[in-house]
Amino acid sequence: MDQVAFGVLGPVTAGRAGLPLALKGPRHRAVLARLLVARRRVVPVARLVADLWEEPPPAAVGAIRTFVGDLRRILEPDRPPRAPARLLVTDGPGYALRAETVDAWRFEQAVEAAAQEEPARAAHLLREALELWRGPAYAEFADERWCGGERARLAELRLRAVEQRAEALLAADRAAEAVPDLDAHLTGHPWREEAWRLLALALYRTGRQGDALAVLRRARATLAGRLGVDPGRALRRLEADVLAQDPGLDAPAARETGAARVWSRAAEAYDRNVAAGARVRLESTVGLLRTLAVTGSGGLAAAREHRLAAITAAEESGDPELTARVIGAYDVPAVWPRSDDETAARRIVRAAERALVLLPAAPAQDAARCRLLATVALETRGTRSGRAAAAAAEAERLARRLDDPALLAFALNGVFMQSCARTGLAPRRDAVGTELVALAARHGLVTYEVLGHLIRTQARAALADFTTADEHAAAADRLAERHELPLAGAFTAGYRALRLAATAGTAHGGGGAEAASREAGRLLDGPGMPGVRDGLLPLTLFCLRLAGRPYGIRDAVDPAADWGPYLPWLRPALALAADDEKAARDALRELPEPPADLVQEALWCIAAAVALQLGDRPALRRCLAALHPAAGQLAGAGSGFLTAGPVDVWLTAIGDALA
């Protein structure tokens, strides 16, 4: 069942799945509010009685129990009779509300998070946080002493958030946006000196020096008239600086030159001239997100978040053609067939499928249809979905018929993502990479040229052709440096660690390979690629110790490692390392097929190592069938990060054991 969401930033409310719950009379609401004020802590019954009545009636304790019983039926209507409550619980001498979703808590978390973000992102988070407020906190209990402290605390946090957002807007060189909110803020709270300072500074930065001075003088008169105090040092200093036109007051963009200044002015002009509700803003936003996604420093994570919001807004417009353009415009190259956010990917695929159904069946929409199909193929990566494979093939067919190089590059990326249906498909991926490099170089599609080189680096590594792989890794690095595409460096660093491990071996180069792998893992920490990062370094180090040693499983696995999404395929090895052969056999028997990604050969080798140790013939036959198509290749090297050694070594060991 969906969680109950509680609201206290205004009248006290409770709701589930967006629908309000019908709370009963004022005493029921008061009990609920009192428990919410306690923030999951226990409130004794005696305290509830004292807070709810100035002169408690004789039956007050019984009334409290009745109110709690009524609330439990409203909050947990499906709870079986006599089953213990999970939300409004009895604990010792009283009750506690084990709430998870409360708008006030979300507000506080957003304000805390904004303090760690860059200015534009902080301003966005704070705006969303302030929109949670529907009125004064605990509005109907303004006269109750038991919530006075909490109401005052939340009110102060809100006032500070308004000023914090204004600071963020000023830092982001969006001073004009800060003025209206600050003006309204000061109307109700004229004693806030920091708000006066921010308003005057915002006016000055928008070219309104006279208005800025007038605000500062009004602040002086207000503070003297209402509080009998002179302005503080910050306000006095600002007034002097405004009169002197101190360059230090200028907006960041005014102190910048070159590209930064052009960017700032163009963004301001766009904001002034394109209507806030214009649909073109959505398409422009997606274009910006495409660039943001390849910048590194968290840009990919931010682009992923805003992309979903843009798609939702497009669908809300009711225009399937606009929705198709917004979904299909995000043609950001992808090189790792595991999603960074599987929930978001599923939502995007559902939106793309809806748009495909609603899109007019006309040749003029074939390009949009191609982009939607490529999106389905890309976002359904690692799943062995028949629908995704068919979407990739249809997108490629349409793109070739339309003779659009950018469209074909996008479609080929979808084909690449669907080229991991089984082991041993490195030659197919190499062919895709070869076409991408040639196509992108011919038509100036730089990001896809980098993608093509990375694909060929991976594929040639899987085929143990390190000379060619080296050339493509170097080409990817040159392009990435010239065009400011830092994410590529994490993949080329991973490849060089893999190369060292594969060519030097653990006996001679193991230490160097491990250090190089750890450095590559460090490069994956910041760019917002959890689908690549999570569990990859432990798996890489495990494979480094296991490579070429089919009977070395016991001393290769690290029981304390965080295996992330790879844990289901490591359970047999972990059980074996713990000397629990029965658990290892059971886990091996229940082992699911690895995901359709670039490390599946390595995972099969790990399973084979456990099966060899246990002499489990059915498991060995399963591993043999899975690995046979990859004969002659390096297991897992198609990932560009790790290898469990030559597949042929594993096939020989399995064949000998079965014989």
Side-chain angles (χ1 to χ4, degrees), residues 143-366:
D143 298 328
E144 302 292 345
R145 284 175 297 182
W146 49 264
C147 74
E150 180 68 357
R151 292 182 78 249
R153 187 184 71 84
L154 288 170
E156 176 59 28
L157 278 175
R158 181 184 176 281
L159 297 177
R160 181 67 193 113
V162 172
E163 293 162 11
Q164 190 178 336
R165 180 169 185 266
E167 288 178 22
L169 289 171
L170 284 164
D173 198 11
R174 292 158 57 186
E177 294 179 45
V179 171
D181 287 345
L182 285 170
D183 233 340
H185 178 61
L186 281 163
T187 299
H189 311 283
W191 58 88
R192 307 282 297 188
E193 285 199 45
E194 178 63 4
W196 287 111
R197 186 190 72 82
L198 291 167
L199 177 57
L201 182 57
L203 289 166
Y204 181 84
R205 287 190 178 176
T206 54
R208 298 165 62 182
Q209 180 181 346
D211 288 339
L213 285 170
V215 160
L216 290 167
R217 287 162 186 162
R218 183 154 50 97
R220 181 187 296 276
T222 300
L223 292 169
R226 295 199 180 195
L227 301 178
V229 298
D230 289 329
R233 181 179 301 175
L235 281 179
R236 296 198 306 272
R237 174 64 183 271
L238 179 59
E239 186 171 10
D241 288 345
V242 169
L243 287 167
Q245 298 184 352
D246 190 316
L249 297 180
D250 290 342
R255 299 193 294 270
E256 294 168 346
T257 59
R261 191 167 186 175
V262 171
W263 171 271
S264 177
R265 291 186 175 182
E268 285 183 6
Y270 186 95
D271 206 41
R272 281 195 309 272
N273 292 292
V274 179
R279 294 183 179 185
V280 70
R281 281 196 174 226
L282 277 177
E283 296 181 69
S284 300
T285 298
V286 178
L288 182 61
L289 296 181
R290 290 166 60 205
T291 304
L292 182 63
V294 296
T295 60
S297 302
L300 180 58
R304 194 160 51 240
E305 174 191 346
H306 295 305
R307 178 193 181 193
L308 202 53
I311 291 172
T312 301
E315 284 203 291
E316 288 172 353
S317 74
D319 182 344
E321 295 180 35
L322 173 66
T323 302
R325 291 197 300 272
V326 168
I327 294 173
Y330 191 85
D331 52 357
V332 176
V335 71
W336 193 255
R338 180 185 284 276
S339 176
D340 290 318
D341 186 337
E342 292 181 0
T343 301
R346 285 192 292 271
R347 289 177 62 186
I348 291 166
V349 168
R350 287 197 295 269
E353 295 285 21
R354 286 192 293 269
L356 280 166
V357 170
L358 296 172
L359 207 60
Q365 299 299 332
D366 280 353

Side-chain angles (χ1 to χ4, degrees), residues 278-651:
R279 294 183 179 185
V280 70
R281 281 196 174 226
L282 277 177
E283 296 181 69
S284 300
T285 298
V286 178
L288 182 61
L289 296 181
R290 290 166 60 205
T291 304
L292 182 63
V294 296
T295 60
S297 302
L300 180 58
R304 194 160 51 240
E305 174 191 346
H306 295 305
R307 178 193 181 193
L308 202 53
I311 291 172
T312 301
E315 284 203 291
E316 288 172 353
S317 74
D319 182 344
E321 295 180 35
L322 173 66
T323 302
R325 291 197 300 272
V326 168
I327 294 173
Y330 191 85
D331 52 357
V332 176
V335 71
W336 193 255
R338 180 185 284 276
S339 176
D340 290 318
D341 186 337
E342 292 181 0
T343 301
R346 285 192 292 271
R347 289 177 62 186
I348 291 166
V349 168
R350 287 197 295 269
E353 295 285 21
R354 286 192 293 269
L356 280 166
V357 170
L358 296 172
L359 207 60
Q365 299 299 332
D366 280 353
R369 188 169 289 104
C370 177
R371 287 182 172 276
L372 290 170
L373 289 163
T375 299
V376 170
L378 279 161
E379 298 297 339
T380 320
R381 61 189 79 175
T383 62
R384 294 190 179 85
S385 160
R387 165 58 181 159
E394 178 63 10
E396 181 186 6
R397 185 190 68 78
L398 281 171
R400 292 192 189 282
R401 182 171 63 76
L402 292 167
D403 196 23
D404 182 329
L407 204 55
L408 180 56
F410 189 21
L412 288 173
N413 199 174
V415 170
F416 165 71
M417 281 298 170
Q418 296 301 319
S419 63
C420 302
R422 59 170 175 78
T423 62
L425 291 176
R428 182 183 299 179
R429 294 193 291 274
D430 191 40
V432 173
T434 300
E435 183 172 6
L436 267 176
V437 169
L439 176 74
R442 195 162 59 246
H443 296 282
L445 305 171
V446 176
T447 55
Y448 280 106
E449 189 176 356
V450 172
L451 174 65
H453 285 301
L454 292 177
I455 290 172
R456 293 216 67 196
T457 300
Q458 296 169 339
R460 300 316 299 181
L463 298 169
D465 178 6
F466 290 109
T467 301
T468 306
D470 285 347
E471 294 171 359
H472 287 286
D477 280 338
R478 285 194 300 272
L479 284 167
E481 183 178 1
R482 189 184 316 146
H483 297 280
E484 298 178 317
L485 302 170
L487 298 183
F491 292 92
T492 54
Y495 160 70
R496 292 189 176 96
L498 157 66
R499 187 193 197 288
L500 185 60
T503 56
T506 55
H508 303 96
E514 180 169 332
S517 295
R518 290 187 183 279
E519 174 60 17
R522 185 189 65 78
L523 293 176
L524 290 171
D525 280 343
M529 295 188 291
V532 186
R533 179 199 65 217
D534 292 353
L536 184 62
L537 179 58
L539 186 63
T540 299
L541 299 178
F542 180 22
C543 288
L544 182 62
R545 293 187 286 268
L546 183 66
R549 300 171 60 230
Y551 289 91
I553 187 77
R554 286 183 185 272
D555 59 353
V557 66
D558 177 3
D562 180 2
W563 300 102
Y566 302 109
L567 179 60
W569 296 277
L570 269 296
R571 285 199 176 103
L574 290 168
L576 194 62
D579 293 322
D580 189 342
E581 291 196 0
K582 180 182 182 305
R585 288 183 188 279
D586 291 344
L588 200 59
R589 190 177 305 114
E590 297 168 2
L591 193 69
E593 187 174 11
D597 63 16
L598 297 169
V599 301
Q600 57 181 308
E601 292 100 337
L603 295 177
W604 279 118
C605 290
I606 292 169
V610 177
L612 286 166
Q613 196 74 45
L614 297 174
D616 190 320
R617 296 176 68 83
L620 286 171
R621 284 192 288 271
R622 186 183 178 199
C623 294
L624 181 67
L627 285 170
H628 189 267
Q633 299 181 23
L634 289 178
S639 66
F641 283 94
L642 59 85
T643 180
V647 171
D648 289 355
V649 170
W650 293 94
L651 292 175

Side-chain angles (χ1 to χ4, degrees), residues 24 37 84 90 98 121 155 176 333 371 377-378 464 593-594 619 632 637:
K24 292 190 175 181
V37 166
T90 302
R98 307 299 190 198
R121 174 70 178 148
R371 287 182 172 276
L378 279 161
E593 187 174 11

